Amino acid sequence: MLFHCGNFQFDLTRPLVMGIVNVTPDSFFDGGLHLQGRDALSHAQQLIAEGADILDIGGESTRPGAQPVSIQEELDRVLPVIEGLRGTPVPISIDTFKPEVMRAAIVAGAQMVNDIDALQDPAAMDAVAGSNVAVCLMHKQGKPQTMQQQPEYQNVVAEVSAFLSARVAATEAAGIHRTRIVIDPGFGFGKTLAHNLALLRELKRLTELGVQLLAGLSRKSMLGALTGQDAGHRLPASIAAALIAVQRGAGIVRVHDVRATVDALKVLTAVNGDAA
Ligand code: 9MG
């Protein structure tokens, strides 16, 4: 299946690794470490050298309980990094739900929008539809500030799938071709451990929607709940989760640890042939 990401095209004969670049003081794993624009830029370049296929640049933390930032603050954080990466050999994704930030990031060179609100804001839909960039439509229940307080579903897999199916339809109706669309169940976004495990177990069902599938499990608290490890010690669990996600249909994994994930996926791809 082809994936069009701005000027880039991927045939997805092997899984892609999206490296996370947080330009935020309060991200749950590398919070503070990459806050300064220059540090974020060199971190991004390091992730490219480690084999990242896409970089996801974010200026506002969406971790449970995170505090919102203004449009201007978010722009001040991400634009210098995106501009500094202009001309790099991998596409840049902007991790934002704000239409103003999407537009400015696309002008600055972003080739993909990673929207945890799945383009439900009509202005966000317009920002993407008026460009050639790819979009990741993510599911979440509630808002980052309160989403982990009491997540509830009758059937989490069916409900997430129905939501994503409706968002794919709305996105296609806005003129965005399905080769530009990625879906994501949003692990940890308004989900208990049992919900996250059910989604990972049955991830394959989301491939029935016929678009690319992204999984973001890296260092997340569900892995802490399973292993008892804090975020700094969740690399083995993150690798296991990425491999499981790819074996169950994810074409893209969003990760902090690019080199380790790339190596692990090389082994999987070699065993599976081109059908990982
Ligand atoms: C921004 N962000 C944090 N976690 C994420 C995930 O799992 N998927 C996507 N698309 N974005 C995420």
mmCIF file of all heavy atoms in Angstrom, residues 18 20 22 28 56 60 62-63 95-96 114-116 136-138 184-189 214-218 220 254, ligand 1:
data_model
loop_
_atom_site.group_PDB
_atom_site.id
_atom_site.type_symbol
_atom_site.label_atom_id
_atom_site.label_comp_id
_atom_site.label_asym_id
_atom_site.label_seq_id
_atom_site.Cartn_x
_atom_site.Cartn_y
_atom_site.Cartn_z
ATOM 1 N N MET A 18 8.834 6.340 13.115
ATOM 2 C CA MET A 18 8.659 7.783 13.321
ATOM 3 C C MET A 18 9.341 8.150 14.634
ATOM 4 O O MET A 18 8.958 7.651 15.704
ATOM 5 C CB MET A 18 7.155 8.114 13.372
ATOM 6 C CG MET A 18 6.836 9.534 13.776
ATOM 7 S SD MET A 18 5.068 9.800 14.012
ATOM 8 C CE MET A 18 4.612 10.481 12.435
ATOM 9 N N ILE A 20 10.321 10.568 17.727
ATOM 10 C CA ILE A 20 9.644 11.634 18.487
ATOM 11 C C ILE A 20 10.644 12.718 18.873
ATOM 12 O O ILE A 20 11.686 12.431 19.481
ATOM 13 C CB ILE A 20 9.021 11.049 19.775
ATOM 14 C CG1 ILE A 20 7.997 9.960 19.430
ATOM 15 C CG2 ILE A 20 8.405 12.150 20.627
ATOM 16 C CD1 ILE A 20 7.534 9.137 20.636
ATOM 17 N N ASN A 22 10.335 16.028 21.051
ATOM 18 C CA ASN A 22 9.513 16.886 21.903
ATOM 19 C C ASN A 22 10.243 18.178 22.208
ATOM 20 O O ASN A 22 11.330 18.158 22.786
ATOM 21 C CB ASN A 22 9.198 16.172 23.224
ATOM 22 C CG ASN A 22 8.214 15.042 23.037
ATOM 23 O OD1 ASN A 22 7.213 15.199 22.331
ATOM 24 N ND2 ASN A 22 8.482 13.902 23.645
ATOM 25 N N PHE A 28 6.309 13.312 28.939
ATOM 26 C CA PHE A 28 6.387 12.350 30.045
ATOM 27 C C PHE A 28 7.701 11.589 30.124
ATOM 28 O O PHE A 28 8.111 11.169 31.182
ATOM 29 C CB PHE A 28 5.211 11.366 29.997
ATOM 30 C CG PHE A 28 5.387 10.258 29.002
ATOM 31 C CD1 PHE A 28 5.733 8.992 29.413
ATOM 32 C CD2 PHE A 28 5.217 10.493 27.657
ATOM 33 C CE1 PHE A 28 5.899 7.967 28.501
ATOM 34 C CE2 PHE A 28 5.378 9.483 26.738
ATOM 35 C CZ PHE A 28 5.719 8.219 27.155
ATOM 36 N N ASP A 56 8.567 13.376 14.168
ATOM 37 C CA ASP A 56 7.339 14.003 14.665
ATOM 38 C C ASP A 56 7.732 15.082 15.668
ATOM 39 O O ASP A 56 8.210 14.782 16.761
ATOM 40 C CB ASP A 56 6.461 12.929 15.331
ATOM 41 C CG ASP A 56 5.039 13.412 15.576
ATOM 42 O OD1 ASP A 56 4.533 14.202 14.757
ATOM 43 O OD2 ASP A 56 4.431 12.967 16.571
ATOM 44 N N GLU A 60 3.699 20.881 22.308
ATOM 45 C CA GLU A 60 2.768 20.894 23.449
ATOM 46 C C GLU A 60 2.582 19.466 23.924
ATOM 47 O O GLU A 60 2.183 18.602 23.152
ATOM 48 C CB GLU A 60 1.410 21.483 23.034
ATOM 49 C CG GLU A 60 0.383 21.396 24.151
ATOM 50 C CD GLU A 60 -0.917 22.151 23.861
ATOM 51 O OE1 GLU A 60 -1.094 22.632 22.728
ATOM 52 O OE2 GLU A 60 -1.744 22.247 24.787
ATOM 53 N N THR A 62 0.926 16.242 25.397
ATOM 54 C CA THR A 62 -0.449 15.738 25.490
ATOM 55 C C THR A 62 -0.539 14.625 26.521
ATOM 56 O O THR A 62 -1.497 13.865 26.534
ATOM 57 C CB THR A 62 -0.920 15.210 24.114
ATOM 58 O OG1 THR A 62 0.084 14.342 23.588
ATOM 59 C CG2 THR A 62 -1.174 16.349 23.152
ATOM 60 N N ARG A 63 0.459 14.536 27.372
ATOM 61 C CA ARG A 63 0.421 13.502 28.406
ATOM 62 C C ARG A 63 -0.756 13.782 29.350
ATOM 63 O O ARG A 63 -1.192 14.941 29.493
ATOM 64 C CB ARG A 63 1.728 13.484 29.203
ATOM 65 C CG ARG A 63 1.969 14.750 29.976
ATOM 66 C CD ARG A 63 3.240 14.722 30.746
ATOM 67 N NE ARG A 63 3.210 13.747 31.813
ATOM 68 C CZ ARG A 63 4.075 13.722 32.823
ATOM 69 N NH1 ARG A 63 5.050 14.608 32.886
ATOM 70 N NH2 ARG A 63 3.992 12.814 33.749
ATOM 71 N N ASP A 95 3.229 17.595 15.231
ATOM 72 C CA ASP A 95 2.312 17.022 16.221
ATOM 73 C C ASP A 95 1.560 18.186 16.860
ATOM 74 O O ASP A 95 2.080 18.855 17.758
ATOM 75 C CB ASP A 95 3.167 16.238 17.244
ATOM 76 C CG ASP A 95 2.459 15.971 18.556
ATOM 77 O OD1 ASP A 95 1.226 16.102 18.609
ATOM 78 O OD2 ASP A 95 3.159 15.623 19.527
ATOM 79 N N THR A 96 0.334 18.438 16.356
ATOM 80 C CA THR A 96 -0.471 19.533 16.890
ATOM 81 C C THR A 96 -1.929 19.295 16.566
ATOM 82 O O THR A 96 -2.250 18.603 15.605
ATOM 83 C CB THR A 96 -0.042 20.902 16.306
ATOM 84 O OG1 THR A 96 -0.719 21.945 17.025
ATOM 85 C CG2 THR A 96 -0.372 21.036 14.820
ATOM 86 N N ASN A 114 0.166 15.366 12.535
ATOM 87 C CA ASN A 114 -0.228 14.340 13.497
ATOM 88 C C ASN A 114 -1.217 14.980 14.453
ATOM 89 O O ASN A 114 -0.837 15.738 15.339
ATOM 90 C CB ASN A 114 1.008 13.836 14.250
ATOM 91 C CG ASN A 114 0.639 12.841 15.348
ATOM 92 O OD1 ASN A 114 -0.423 12.224 15.306
ATOM 93 N ND2 ASN A 114 1.527 12.706 16.322
ATOM 94 N N ASP A 115 -2.520 14.696 14.234
ATOM 95 C CA ASP A 115 -3.564 15.401 14.977
ATOM 96 C C ASP A 115 -4.276 14.451 15.939
ATOM 97 O O ASP A 115 -5.046 13.586 15.515
ATOM 98 C CB ASP A 115 -4.581 16.007 13.990
ATOM 99 C CG ASP A 115 -5.657 16.808 14.706
ATOM 100 O OD1 ASP A 115 -5.557 17.001 15.932
ATOM 101 O OD2 ASP A 115 -6.619 17.241 14.031
ATOM 102 N N ILE A 116 -4.052 14.654 17.232
ATOM 103 C CA ILE A 116 -4.713 13.793 18.227
ATOM 104 C C ILE A 116 -6.221 14.052 18.261
ATOM 105 O O ILE A 116 -6.959 13.306 18.903
ATOM 106 C CB ILE A 116 -4.099 13.955 19.640
ATOM 107 C CG1 ILE A 116 -4.307 15.374 20.157
ATOM 108 C CG2 ILE A 116 -2.633 13.538 19.661
ATOM 109 C CD1 ILE A 116 -4.090 15.494 21.680
ATOM 110 N N CYS A 136 -2.242 12.051 10.277
ATOM 111 C CA CYS A 136 -2.525 10.944 11.192
ATOM 112 C C CYS A 136 -3.762 11.314 12.006
ATOM 113 O O CYS A 136 -3.771 12.336 12.703
ATOM 114 C CB CYS A 136 -1.337 10.670 12.119
ATOM 115 S SG CYS A 136 -1.688 9.307 13.257
ATOM 116 N N LEU A 137 -4.795 10.481 11.889
ATOM 117 C CA LEU A 137 -6.059 10.675 12.609
ATOM 118 C C LEU A 137 -6.039 9.755 13.823
ATOM 119 O O LEU A 137 -6.066 8.530 13.677
ATOM 120 C CB LEU A 137 -7.244 10.291 11.713
ATOM 121 C CG LEU A 137 -7.317 10.957 10.333
ATOM 122 C CD1 LEU A 137 -8.387 10.276 9.483
ATOM 123 C CD2 LEU A 137 -7.615 12.445 10.495
ATOM 124 N N MET A 138 -5.965 10.351 15.012
ATOM 125 C CA MET A 138 -5.848 9.522 16.219
ATOM 126 C C MET A 138 -7.150 9.503 17.002
ATOM 127 O O MET A 138 -7.864 10.512 17.056
ATOM 128 C CB MET A 138 -4.707 10.041 17.095
ATOM 129 C CG MET A 138 -4.223 9.030 18.110
ATOM 130 S SD MET A 138 -3.248 9.796 19.427
ATOM 131 C CE MET A 138 -4.564 10.511 20.419
ATOM 132 N N ASP A 184 -4.787 5.783 13.897
ATOM 133 C CA ASP A 184 -4.036 5.457 15.115
ATOM 134 C C ASP A 184 -5.036 5.276 16.263
ATOM 135 O O ASP A 184 -5.838 6.180 16.513
ATOM 136 C CB ASP A 184 -3.089 6.648 15.390
ATOM 137 C CG ASP A 184 -2.244 6.481 16.636
ATOM 138 O OD1 ASP A 184 -2.552 5.630 17.470
ATOM 139 O OD2 ASP A 184 -1.270 7.242 16.781
ATOM 140 N N PRO A 185 -5.000 4.135 16.960
ATOM 141 C CA PRO A 185 -5.971 3.916 18.047
ATOM 142 C C PRO A 185 -5.722 4.777 19.280
ATOM 143 O O PRO A 185 -6.557 4.840 20.173
ATOM 144 C CB PRO A 185 -5.798 2.436 18.385
ATOM 145 C CG PRO A 185 -4.410 2.100 17.945
ATOM 146 C CD PRO A 185 -4.123 2.970 16.754
ATOM 147 N N GLY A 186 -4.581 5.454 19.343
ATOM 148 C CA GLY A 186 -4.328 6.366 20.462
ATOM 149 C C GLY A 186 -4.136 5.647 21.793
ATOM 150 O O GLY A 186 -4.859 5.904 22.767
ATOM 151 N N PHE A 187 -3.127 4.790 21.839
ATOM 152 C CA PHE A 187 -2.846 4.078 23.098
ATOM 153 C C PHE A 187 -2.624 5.090 24.231
ATOM 154 O O PHE A 187 -1.859 6.044 24.086
ATOM 155 C CB PHE A 187 -1.613 3.184 22.945
ATOM 156 C CG PHE A 187 -1.855 2.005 22.030
ATOM 157 C CD1 PHE A 187 -1.366 2.000 20.735
ATOM 158 C CD2 PHE A 187 -2.603 0.915 22.473
ATOM 159 C CE1 PHE A 187 -1.599 0.924 19.885
ATOM 160 C CE2 PHE A 187 -2.849 -0.171 21.633
ATOM 161 C CZ PHE A 187 -2.350 -0.159 20.338
ATOM 162 N N GLY A 188 -3.326 4.876 25.338
ATOM 163 C CA GLY A 188 -3.141 5.735 26.512
ATOM 164 C C GLY A 188 -3.967 7.007 26.508
ATOM 165 O O GLY A 188 -3.941 7.752 27.482
ATOM 166 N N PHE A 189 -4.703 7.251 25.449
ATOM 167 C CA PHE A 189 -5.506 8.475 25.380
ATOM 168 C C PHE A 189 -6.955 8.160 25.769
ATOM 169 O O PHE A 189 -7.792 7.859 24.935
ATOM 170 C CB PHE A 189 -5.449 9.072 23.970
ATOM 171 C CG PHE A 189 -4.175 9.808 23.668
ATOM 172 C CD1 PHE A 189 -3.039 9.120 23.273
ATOM 173 C CD2 PHE A 189 -4.098 11.195 23.796
ATOM 174 C CE1 PHE A 189 -1.853 9.788 22.999
ATOM 175 C CE2 PHE A 189 -2.912 11.866 23.526
ATOM 176 C CZ PHE A 189 -1.793 11.171 23.130
ATOM 177 N N LEU A 214 -0.806 3.526 12.354
ATOM 178 C CA LEU A 214 0.326 3.937 13.203
ATOM 179 C C LEU A 214 0.048 3.497 14.637
ATOM 180 O O LEU A 214 -1.091 3.572 15.107
ATOM 181 C CB LEU A 214 0.493 5.456 13.126
ATOM 182 C CG LEU A 214 1.663 6.108 13.871
ATOM 183 C CD1 LEU A 214 2.106 7.388 13.120
ATOM 184 C CD2 LEU A 214 1.315 6.493 15.299
ATOM 185 N N ALA A 215 1.090 3.047 15.324
ATOM 186 C CA ALA A 215 0.949 2.689 16.741
ATOM 187 C C ALA A 215 1.996 3.445 17.553
ATOM 188 O O ALA A 215 3.174 3.447 17.211
ATOM 189 C CB ALA A 215 1.113 1.184 16.932
ATOM 190 N N GLY A 216 1.540 4.078 18.626
ATOM 191 C CA GLY A 216 2.446 4.804 19.523
ATOM 192 C C GLY A 216 2.373 4.200 20.912
ATOM 193 O O GLY A 216 1.415 4.450 21.657
ATOM 194 N N LEU A 217 3.342 3.398 21.242
ATOM 195 C CA LEU A 217 3.344 2.725 22.549
ATOM 196 C C LEU A 217 4.589 3.066 23.354
ATOM 197 O O LEU A 217 4.692 2.739 24.542
ATOM 198 C CB LEU A 217 3.290 1.203 22.324
ATOM 199 C CG LEU A 217 1.972 0.699 21.723
ATOM 200 C CD1 LEU A 217 2.226 -0.385 20.684
ATOM 201 C CD2 LEU A 217 1.073 0.165 22.816
ATOM 202 N N SER A 218 5.535 3.737 22.711
ATOM 203 C CA SER A 218 6.864 3.939 23.263
ATOM 204 C C SER A 218 6.839 4.564 24.661
ATOM 205 O O SER A 218 6.280 5.642 24.866
ATOM 206 C CB SER A 218 7.632 4.870 22.300
ATOM 207 O OG SER A 218 8.928 5.129 22.775
ATOM 208 N N LYS A 220 5.161 4.257 27.179
ATOM 209 C CA LYS A 220 3.901 4.690 27.787
ATOM 210 C C LYS A 220 3.605 3.983 29.102
ATOM 211 O O LYS A 220 4.143 2.915 29.396
ATOM 212 C CB LYS A 220 2.758 4.486 26.790
ATOM 213 C CG LYS A 220 2.792 5.573 25.708
ATOM 214 C CD LYS A 220 1.523 5.719 24.944
ATOM 215 C CE LYS A 220 1.662 6.925 24.013
ATOM 216 N NZ LYS A 220 0.631 6.971 23.005
ATOM 217 N N ARG A 254 5.593 4.950 16.275
ATOM 218 C CA ARG A 254 6.059 6.257 16.776
ATOM 219 C C ARG A 254 6.853 5.980 18.053
ATOM 220 O O ARG A 254 6.288 5.499 19.040
ATOM 221 C CB ARG A 254 4.841 7.140 17.047
ATOM 222 C CG ARG A 254 5.160 8.545 17.529
ATOM 223 C CD ARG A 254 3.861 9.339 17.734
ATOM 224 N NE ARG A 254 4.138 10.692 18.155
ATOM 225 C CZ ARG A 254 4.349 11.045 19.420
ATOM 226 N NH1 ARG A 254 4.315 10.156 20.378
ATOM 227 N NH2 ARG A 254 4.618 12.310 19.717
HETATM 228 C C1 9MG B 1 1.429 13.057 20.308
HETATM 229 N N1 9MG B 1 1.269 11.650 20.639
HETATM 230 C C2 9MG B 1 1.535 11.059 21.828
HETATM 231 N N2 9MG B 1 1.233 9.750 21.766
HETATM 232 C C3 9MG B 1 0.788 9.522 20.509
HETATM 233 C C4 9MG B 1 0.329 8.390 19.835
HETATM 234 O O1 9MG B 1 0.227 7.206 20.431
HETATM 235 N N3 9MG B 1 -0.050 8.514 18.550
HETATM 236 C C5 9MG B 1 0.015 9.718 17.925
HETATM 237 N N4 9MG B 1 -0.389 9.770 16.632
HETATM 238 N N5 9MG B 1 0.434 10.833 18.525
HETATM 239 C C6 9MG B 1 0.808 10.728 19.793
#
